[in-house]
Amino acid sequence: MRFHRHLLQTSSFAILLSLAAPCGSANSQVLTGTPGTPGSTTTIPGKQIPPVPPKFGGVIKEKSSESKPWWAPRVVPPKGAPNVLVIMTDDAGFGAPGTFGGVIPTPALDRIAAQGLRYTNFHSTALCSPTRAALITGRNHHSVGVGVVGEISTGYPGYDSIIPADKGTIGTILKANGYATSWYGKNHNTPSYQSSQAGPFEQWPNGMGFEYFYGFVGGDASQWQPNLYRNTTAIYPFEGNPGWNLTTAMADEAIQQMRQLKEIAPDKPFFIYYVPGGTHAPHHPTLEWVEKIGNMHLFDEGWNKLRETIFANQKRLGIMPEHAKLTPWPKELPEWDSLGVLEKKLFIKQADVYGAYLAYTDHEIGRVIQAVEDQGQLDNTLIIYISGDNGASAEGMLNGTPNEFTTFNGVPVPVNAQYLWYPFWGSDKTFPHFAAPWAWAMSTPFKWVKQVPSHFGGTKQGMAISWPGHINDVGGIRRQFHHVIDIVPTILEATGIPQPEMVNGIKQSPIEGVSMMYTWDKASAEAPTRHATQYFEMLGNRAIYSDGWIASTTPVTRPWELSTAPPPDIDAYQWELYDLKADPTQFNDLAAAMPDKVRALRAIFDSEAKKYNVLPLDNTTLLRWNTPRPNLTAGRTVFTYSGELTGVPPSAAPSVLNKSYTITADVDIPEGGGEGMIVTEGGRFGGYGLFLSKGVAGIRSGKPVFLYNLLNLKRTVWSGPELSPGKHTITFDFKSDGPGLGKGGTGVLSVDGKEVDRKSMPHSMPVTFPEDESFDVGRDTRTGVALLEYRYDPPFKFNGKINKLTFKLEPQVAAVAVSKAELGPTQAPDPDPIEEPKP
């Protein structure tokens, strides 16, 4: 049908047609108000976003008096589209929250379950950033390039940590359809090599459809001094603010932003992606919560008794069916009764702090949910609360650790050494993680833990969904098999918004999940699952679910023993088989009795693996950490700075790991003496710093110092005489004893060409400095590298002038396997200051 151009420009029909023509029929659109007036609104078909701008519908003549203005209608979501609040905690095992049988109180999760439904057969990918990428895209994690955490990404389509442009996020979709979109908390989906101030920012939340971001970038962060961003700008609200904690601060931020939106634009729905750091290490609750949970004595009887208690609770609550069996305790982990008194005391403290962190996190989530109700929005808000992005974490190794980065560098900390931090466990003086057996217990009733996708201890997550008036079986339990990729299609069906066919001119690949809305009616409580097949793969471990059966590989490496040693061959894995209808906990392995079924399921896995970019399979862990990947420092051996520069992530900084290097600082010292940080990377839990000492009462001030902090276990210090006012050149030259990871070497500190100190240290950091710290010039953000000797308080701004700062790096020595003995794990740590931790 053809129309006269004038009619197209002036009729309301033309407005609809011009918006809809590129992507389909105008029948799905709804226009409100008088066309062309400032108050008119429209929905969009949504097949193409952003939609093609409508043609001007007014009249333009030579004079304005003879012309007619026209405004494009404002895009709004479909009528009745709810606010959406998606909540996901971190590293919480299935059996941790009280809502799913655990002993740790989680009243906010209880609230959503009581107002809606509890899902007991919902799954993650077994690791943090892969689950998060799958959640926000509705596709499998390998499909969106996040087959593993970004820190060990590799140059294959399924593993490069880049979410492709043809797989737009739920933020992008809802934003284009008129939602206010925001992201609070953990962002583990910006590739590490794109996380600096130089961008690019397409893979930051703001570039993925989230208009507002308040959170940290990376796998974890201190809750006391996080690497915190507002949008793409680093902020430091904790400086000079003792007691500040991100868990509370981000709830405050979300509540304020929500209130602001509803006061300014009451009819504009919000989409909030709320993903706090809890309970990923470091376990950082406030002292108030540590005392509250400690006084409940939840963990005093140990991890074996805890599993029995949780499983009994799960049976009582209907979380587990009566025929379910509690899987056996693994022989690789110690029984509680085999431990000594000192071990039990330390491990109970670790669990109390973890429990406090989960309870504290849930409490702050509860404040956000209450704010939704206080604004009169609860009945119009779809709330999805997922407990954990993978199973409980065993990355604290067998004994736990006061510093999680000991794990990522392959260094266990003995129990007796950990007692130096016992009084401060959970405070900013620790970066703590509990012992691996607690993780197994928190994953009750299943086998295995985080990192392991083949067994439900790594992938099963408790989830609750509420939407008053739309779920008619409040308090019900749903057992249909579902996966994190089902969240996006559920949101789209609930909002009435279709998946777009085009986003920014890029044809979109299909969403791979299915909506869960079919389970909401009471009559559908026992309906067959619509998610019939799902593959799992992580770090070489595999599983394939199909129509109530699952075939799973037997893990050949232990998640609590991360190592740079070469892993077993990928073909060395044995396959197990489980009938989940009869055996929901993977208790009874049927592989030997049903080899044909195993072969049939393995064929399905192979097909899915080819379809979703799972190949090539790679079961290395720490060996992949320092693999070459795109970054701003590739090929550079000389780095030059001047003035002040802060917040640079390790991927954009000169790496001094496993190599010889020279740092040269040309500085001006002011009258009255100099002090402050010249350059640093890392902080309290590992790193280095070149600075001028502030001294004590003026004594030893102005002394040049280079300090190397090995995982808060050992500090090596080079120092020189106090510098007079004027120009000076300070040089630190380090010669590595390599090749190999974590080798020591000899360092020489010189001033104005004269050697002032020479020392050797037996070991250095083999794999990584703390990822939540940064490279800073002219000041020190977050935490300081020194403790007792030459201690200072950040930001420790340099009071002189840095004319030129130069790093010269030698080629990196060959990466070889490093043993625990080489790293000297039993050496006595430096003591912590004797003072009470601040809440």
Side-chain angles (χ1 to χ4, degrees):
M1 184 179 294
R2 297 180 181 274
F3 294 87
H4 190 278
R5 181 178 298 275
H6 178 71
L7 291 177
L8 283 176
Q9 290 182 335
T10 58
S11 69
S12 60
F13 179 80
I15 299 166
L16 298 175
L17 184 64
S18 62
L19 282 166
C23 46
S25 168
N27 293 338
S28 60
Q29 284 187 276
V30 177
L31 185 72
T32 62
T34 302
T37 63
S40 66
T41 66
T42 186
T43 61
I44 60 174
K47 294 297 184 180
Q48 175 174 317
I49 58 174
V52 173
K55 297 176 182 178
F56 178 69
V59 177
I60 298 177
K61 299 291 186 179
E62 184 175 350
K63 299 177 181 179
S64 63
S65 60
E66 299 173 351
S67 304
K68 181 181 179 181
W70 185 90
W71 294 91
R74 178 170 54 89
V75 174
V76 295
K79 185 178 181 180
N83 304 305
V84 180
L85 172 58
V86 174
I87 302 160
M88 184 167 65
T89 55
D90 201 334
D91 282 10
F94 182 80
T99 316
F100 288 87
V103 300
I104 303 168
T106 49
L109 184 55
D110 291 344
R111 177 181 185 179
I112 300 307
Q115 294 174 346
L117 297 169
R118 268 181 293 192
Y119 288 77
T120 64
N121 202 5
F122 181 82
H123 298 265
S124 66
T125 71
L127 265 182
C128 301
S129 52
T131 292
R132 293 160 189 272
L135 187 154
I136 63 175
T137 63
R139 283 96 166 179
N140 287 297
H141 57 302
H142 296 88
S143 290
V144 291
V146 194
V148 289
V149 291
E151 289 83 352
I152 56 175
S153 59
T154 55
Y156 298 99
Y159 299 91
D160 60 12
S161 73
I162 297 284
I163 297 176
D166 67 335
K167 298 176 175 68
T169 72
I170 185 63
T172 297
I173 297 170
L174 295 186
K175 174 186 171 185
N177 281 273
Y179 271 76
T181 59
S182 55
W183 179 332
Y184 301 90
K186 178 171 173 174
N187 165 26
H188 203 186
N189 292 118
T190 297
S192 59
Y193 48 89
Q194 294 186 6
S195 60
S196 78
Q197 298 90 327
F201 298 108
E202 286 85 357
Q203 298 278 314
W204 284 64
N206 300 109
M208 292 191 287
F210 295 87
E211 297 168 301
Y212 188 78
F213 171 57
Y214 179 90
F216 60 92
V217 178
D220 57 25
S222 166
Q223 299 297 291
W224 303 109
Q225 299 100 1
N227 58 329
L228 185 62
Y229 290 83
R230 178 173 281 115
N231 299 318
T232 59
T233 300
I235 57 174
Y236 309 96
F238 45 82
E239 286 187 356
N241 191 5
W244 184 97
N245 189 294
L246 178 58
T247 307
T248 294
M250 70 175 271
D252 292 343
E253 188 78 10
I255 292 168
Q256 169 57 26
Q257 291 293 321
M258 189 193 317
R259 180 183 299 119
Q260 176 179 283
L261 171 70
K262 290 303 181 181
E263 289 176 352
I264 296 173
D267 296 330
K268 187 170 187 176
F270 59 72
F271 171 53
I272 294 176
Y273 179 48
Y274 192 87
V275 281
T279 55
H280 196 293
H283 302 155
H284 274 167
T286 62
L287 182 59
E288 170 194 0
W289 280 97
V290 175
E291 292 175 347
K292 183 180 298 186
I293 296 300
N295 290 338
M296 295 175 71
H297 300 286
L298 301 176
F299 308 105
D300 289 8
E301 293 184 282
W303 39 63
N304 298 107
K305 180 63 176 177
L306 178 64
R307 289 188 88 225
E308 296 172 4
T309 299
I310 293 173
F311 191 54
N313 290 341
Q314 290 170 336
K315 289 284 189 75
R316 175 178 55 82
L317 294 169
I319 301 302
M320 283 289 116
E322 281 302 318
H323 66 272
K325 295 181 180 180
L326 179 62
T327 54
W329 185 257
K331 64 181 183 302
E332 296 90 348
L333 296 176
E335 299 273 351
W336 183 258
D337 290 343
S338 71
L339 303 175
V341 173
L342 287 180
E343 291 173 308
K344 288 181 178 180
K345 181 180 178 182
L346 174 67
F347 296 156
I348 291 170
K349 179 73 166 185
Q350 294 173 355
D352 282 344
V353 170
Y354 171 85
Y357 194 24
L358 179 56
Y360 172 40
T361 300
D362 180 82
H363 172 78
E364 295 300 322
I365 289 169
R367 290 180 55 223
V368 175
I369 295 171
Q370 185 59 45
V372 174
E373 181 177 27
D374 292 345
Q375 294 173 39
Q377 295 292 321
L378 191 62
D379 288 348
N380 189 39
T381 301
L382 169 63
I383 300 179
I384 301 172
Y385 188 157
I386 306 168
S387 176
D389 56 355
N390 44 240
S393 171
E395 291 161 356
M397 308 178 108
L398 281 178
N399 292 328
T401 176
N403 175 9
E404 184 193 22
F405 291 99
T406 61
T407 297
F408 298 139
N409 285 280
V411 183
V413 184
V415 167
N416 63 340
Q418 292 191 49
Y419 265 95
L420 290 169
W421 289 277
Y422 183 92
F424 317 109
W425 206 272
S427 76
D428 65 343
K429 295 174 178 58
T430 63
F431 209 93
H433 203 312
F434 59 18
W438 287 125
W440 200 284
M442 297 298 173
S443 297
T444 300
F446 307 110
K447 291 182 280 191
W448 294 100
V449 291
K450 175 184 177 180
Q451 297 185 26
V452 180
S454 54
H455 293 73
F456 293 157
T459 67
K460 187 90 77 169
Q461 313 300 145
M463 179 179 67
I465 299 180
S466 74
W467 186 12
H470 296 265
I471 294 175
N472 63 13
D473 187 23
V474 294
I477 290 175
R478 295 294 182 267
R479 303 189 193 280
Q480 290 90 346
F481 180 96
H482 280 288
H483 189 271
V484 69
I485 62 175
D486 298 336
I487 297 297
V488 165
T490 302
I491 293 171
L492 293 180
E493 184 177 359
T495 59
I497 293 171
Q499 183 203 357
E501 295 174 357
M502 302 283 289
V503 174
N504 296 320
I506 305 295
K507 182 175 174 57
Q508 297 294 287
S509 70
I511 284 176
E512 294 158 9
V514 300
S515 172
M516 296 180 287
M517 275 187 65
Y518 73 94
T519 66
W520 289 2
D521 290 335
K522 190 169 186 177
S524 301
E526 304 297 328
T529 183
R530 296 181 182 177
H531 195 130
T533 300
Q534 179 62 48
Y535 83 90
F536 296 87
E537 191 280 338
M538 190 66 63
L539 303 169
N541 260 310
R542 288 146 281 164
I544 181 69
Y545 167 87
S546 183
D547 294 325
W549 290 84
I550 191 166
S552 310
T553 60
T554 305
V556 297
T557 56
R558 300 168 186 171
W560 50 88
E561 292 183 356
L562 297 181
S563 173
T564 56
D569 188 84
I570 201 74
D571 293 326
Y573 293 73
Q574 298 296 314
W575 284 80
E576 304 167 11
L577 176 68
Y578 301 96
D579 175 2
L580 297 176
K581 294 175 183 177
D583 180 19
T585 65
Q586 294 176 292
F587 182 94
N588 184 26
D589 178 12
L590 302 174
M594 303 180 68
D596 290 344
K597 185 66 174 178
V598 175
R599 280 192 290 270
L601 287 172
R602 289 187 64 178
I604 296 174
F605 177 86
D606 291 342
S607 175
E608 297 289 285
K610 293 173 183 176
K611 181 178 179 181
Y612 294 121
N613 292 336
V614 180
L615 304 179
L617 297 173
D618 186 346
N619 59 355
T620 58
T621 54
L622 291 185
L623 278 177
R624 274 194 269 178
W625 199 286
N626 290 326
T627 191
R629 54 182 63 93
N631 63 73
L632 301 177
T633 66
R636 295 173 62 186
T637 58
V638 178
F639 297 76
T640 303
Y641 309 92
S642 63
E644 187 174 294
L645 176 67
T646 62
V648 179
S651 62
S655 174
V656 301
L657 296 175
N658 304 309
K659 60 174 66 74
S660 300
Y661 57 90
T662 302
I663 305 172
T664 302
D666 294 322
V667 298
D668 279 341
I669 306 300
E671 293 294 333
E675 70 172 43
M677 184 59 65
I678 297 173
V679 64
T680 181
E681 183 177 356
R684 175 188 285 266
F685 304 103
Y688 65 86
L690 175 64
F691 56 92
L692 297 188
S693 170
K694 70 174 185 176
V696 179
I699 301 172
R700 299 200 305 170
S701 64
K703 297 179 64 175
V705 175
F706 186 86
L707 187 152
Y708 195 97
N709 173 8
L710 181 64
L711 294 167
N712 206 25
L713 301 176
K714 179 68 177 177
R715 286 169 170 81
T716 305
V717 179
W718 293 258
S719 65
E722 181 177 346
L723 300 185
S724 61
K727 295 184 180 297
H728 293 279
T729 297
I730 307 169
T731 302
F732 180 76
D733 183 73
F734 182 79
K735 299 301 182 187
S736 172
D737 291 338
L741 298 182
K743 296 294 185 179
T746 300
V748 175
L749 181 67
S750 302
V751 176
D752 299 329
K754 181 180 179 181
E755 179 179 320
V756 295
D757 200 359
R758 175 187 293 263
K759 284 190 178 72
S760 296
M761 60 180 187
H763 308 289
S764 63
M765 299 277 274
V767 179
T768 180
F769 289 127
E771 66 173 331
D772 72 323
E773 293 277 358
S774 59
F775 176 81
D776 300 321
V777 177
R779 59 181 292 178
D780 189 357
T781 59
R782 304 184 183 99
T783 65
V785 292
L787 275 184
L788 290 178
E789 189 175 15
Y790 298 111
R791 180 173 178 173
Y792 60 87
D793 295 317
F796 199 36
K797 181 178 175 66
F798 183 57
N799 67 349
K801 181 180 179 183
I802 301 174
N803 297 310
K804 187 177 182 180
L805 174 68
T806 303
F807 279 70
K808 291 185 178 179
L809 310 180
E810 298 297 325
Q812 183 165 337
V813 296
V816 298
V818 58
S819 70
K820 297 173 187 174
E822 284 183 288
L823 290 172
T826 58
Q827 61 186 347
D830 291 339
D832 211 288
I834 304 301
E835 62 180 20
E836 291 297 320
K838 297 177 181 179

